[in-house]
Amino acid sequence: MRRFFFFAGHSLNVLFFLRQGKNSHPVLDNFRVEKTTLSPDLKEDEVLVKTLFLSVDPYMRCRMNDDTAADYLLPWRLGECADGGGVGVVEASRNEVLATGDIVTSFNWHWQTRNVINGYLLRKIDPRMVDGHLSYVLGAVGMPGLTAFLGVREKGHVTPGANQTMVISGAAGACGSLAGQIARLDGCEKVIGICGTDKKCQALVSELGFTAAVNYKKGDISAALRESCPRGVDVYFDNVGGPISDTVISQMNSGGHVILCGQISQYNKDVPYPPPLSKETQEDLCSKNITRERFMVLNYMDKHEEGLLQLSQWVKTGQIKVLETVTNGIENMGVAFCSMMMGGNTGKQIVKISD
């Protein structure tokens, strides 16, 4: 059998080096960067890919534990390369469906500058889907975008003309910043975002078209929310959990809907997922007949293609605006991850690996 060789080189890899424990924040010492040598011999079906962009996301905090508390997530293994969403370009191929120059993505992309991988584990991307902005594959026209789109569509019960108010927590993050825009496009009269800085609040209103935004770190969040939502809250897109969510739910109208997307405020704590609610919040849900259902985007695989096409159209026509925080260099993967977990990003946190 003919063997296929490419120019042997090196790759920088980010290894998961130290488990943090469930009751603590991630730190840079959890990760270590090492150089490895790539074999010059591609086997049948394999491709050599150069990494262009990598994603860091809140769910990865769960993968730092021995038990992720989610049957669809495997823990990162100590001493091995971390992985997550990534996009790159094929530099050499022995795969029948992928050629040199193809843009590809995977939900389990190793944190490496280059990698040899079975090409059938990758999904080919048409750059026109993201108008040439390849990092959008990891955000607005990727899993965060689908989570926002399907969360609103499947669990939000938005009805055009019904004068509904939606509140989004974690509204300046990858998913929340999109969910608010989708809610507006789908017919919500008012879209209110909750985030952690005045600068983020300003971006939500002036750049993304939110009706108003509340800085939960400043003043009385309950009073600020009541001022922004004088007729109460009909739909709540919950990305954070904890006291913020308790406050929002206390102001929800009868027959409202909670889209339980994420609980980032609880990810550094040793609690089950979803975390237990306070007695008062449980009573609010029951007495007001408010639905609160866990939403998992992976349960809607049959709607992903349709969703990506709609997201792509909205992005290309400017109906959805994309915010990103970009960190450069694979050596800064840990920096980007820890910053994101502390709210340091506006929009999708991306790490640019190479041009």
Side-chain angles (χ1 to χ4, degrees):
M1 178 181 292
R2 184 176 67 90
R3 302 178 73 191
F4 186 95
F5 294 89
F6 60 88
F7 180 77
H10 296 95
S11 172
L12 290 179
N13 305 342
V14 180
L15 306 182
F16 178 54
F17 186 69
L18 177 69
R19 291 210 187 278
Q20 187 63 21
K22 291 184 177 182
N23 283 303
S24 55
H25 294 276
V27 295
L28 297 182
D29 286 344
N30 293 130
F31 305 98
R32 174 176 292 182
V33 179
E34 291 189 355
K35 180 185 286 189
T36 59
T37 300
L38 296 174
S39 166
D41 187 9
L42 282 183
K43 299 181 176 64
E44 187 176 359
D45 297 332
E46 288 185 335
V47 294
L48 168 68
V49 291
K50 179 175 75 171
T51 305
L52 300 177
F53 297 97
L54 291 173
S55 174
V56 291
D57 300 279
Y59 79 88
M60 293 175 174
R61 176 61 184 88
C62 303
R63 300 191 66 190
M64 299 177 75
N65 302 329
D66 286 310
D67 178 8
T68 66
D71 54 10
Y72 59 92
L73 285 179
L74 293 175
W76 283 333
R77 299 178 66 173
L78 287 175
E80 295 189 4
C81 198
D83 67 294
V87 62
V89 59
V90 175
E91 291 192 316
S93 176
R94 281 197 64 194
N95 186 282
E96 291 184 356
V97 299
L98 294 176
T100 300
D102 284 346
I103 303 299
V104 290
T105 187
S106 170
F107 191 60
N108 301 109
W109 194 288
H110 284 181
W111 289 7
Q112 300 180 220
T113 52
R114 280 182 167 82
N115 191 20
V116 173
I117 188 172
N118 186 315
Y120 292 110
L121 300 177
L122 303 171
R123 180 168 63 92
K124 185 176 176 179
I125 293 295
D126 183 349
R128 293 174 296 182
M129 282 279 290
V130 290
D131 212 19
H133 299 282
L134 297 181
S135 60
Y136 289 5
V137 172
L138 304 177
V141 192
M143 199 59 71
L146 281 172
T147 301
F149 176 74
L150 292 171
V152 171
R153 287 279 173 96
E154 298 297 323
K155 299 295 185 181
H157 303 275
V158 174
T159 305
N163 300 322
Q164 290 168 299
T165 295
M166 181 183 290
V167 170
I168 300 97
S169 57
C175 183
S177 61
L178 299 169
Q181 296 181 77
I182 293 167
R184 179 174 46 78
L185 288 168
D186 275 3
C188 276
E189 182 188 35
K190 299 183 73 173
V191 177
I192 313 299
I194 301 175
C195 54
T197 70
D198 289 341
K199 186 176 181 181
K200 289 182 179 181
C201 287
Q202 183 180 4
L204 293 180
V205 176
S206 63
E207 297 182 47
L208 304 187
F210 281 57
T211 310
V214 174
N215 182 349
Y216 72 90
K217 295 181 180 178
K218 191 174 181 180
D220 184 345
I221 182 176
S222 181
L225 192 62
R226 192 169 285 108
E227 181 180 351
S228 297
C229 312
R231 297 199 305 269
V233 178
D234 300 298
V235 186
Y236 174 40
F237 199 108
D238 186 3
N239 287 305
V240 303
I244 290 175
S245 292
D246 291 340
T247 300
V248 177
I249 291 171
S250 73
Q251 297 187 27
M252 290 188 70
N253 296 323
S254 295
H257 304 282
V258 178
I259 305 165
L260 182 55
C261 180
Q263 304 279 280
I264 191 172
S265 73
Q266 308 298 299
Y267 288 168
N268 292 315
K269 302 177 182 179
D270 187 7
V271 294
Y273 188 88
L277 297 172
S278 68
K279 180 180 178 181
E280 292 78 7
T281 299
Q282 292 182 53
E283 289 175 350
D284 278 332
L285 294 174
C286 184
S287 65
K288 297 180 183 178
N289 195 30
I290 297 168
T291 64
R292 179 180 179 265
E293 298 177 331
R294 183 176 178 182
F295 171 75
M296 292 173 51
V297 69
L298 297 178
N299 289 342
Y300 298 89
M301 296 293 290
D302 60 319
K303 298 186 178 182
H304 282 199
E305 183 176 357
E306 174 191 353
L308 290 174
L309 289 173
Q310 178 63 81
L311 291 163
S312 172
Q313 180 67 19
W314 279 336
V315 168
K316 289 193 291 186
T317 58
Q319 291 174 279
I320 279 184
K321 295 187 170 53
V322 181
L323 299 181
E324 290 184 324
T325 298
V326 181
T327 301
N328 290 307
I330 197 161
E331 68 277 8
N332 289 315
M333 289 297 297
V335 173
F337 177 70
C338 293
S339 173
M340 179 270 305
M341 288 299 298
M342 295 295 291
N345 58 301
T346 299
K348 181 73 184 82
Q349 175 67 64
I350 295 291
V351 181
K352 183 178 181 180
I353 306 302
S354 57
D355 294 315

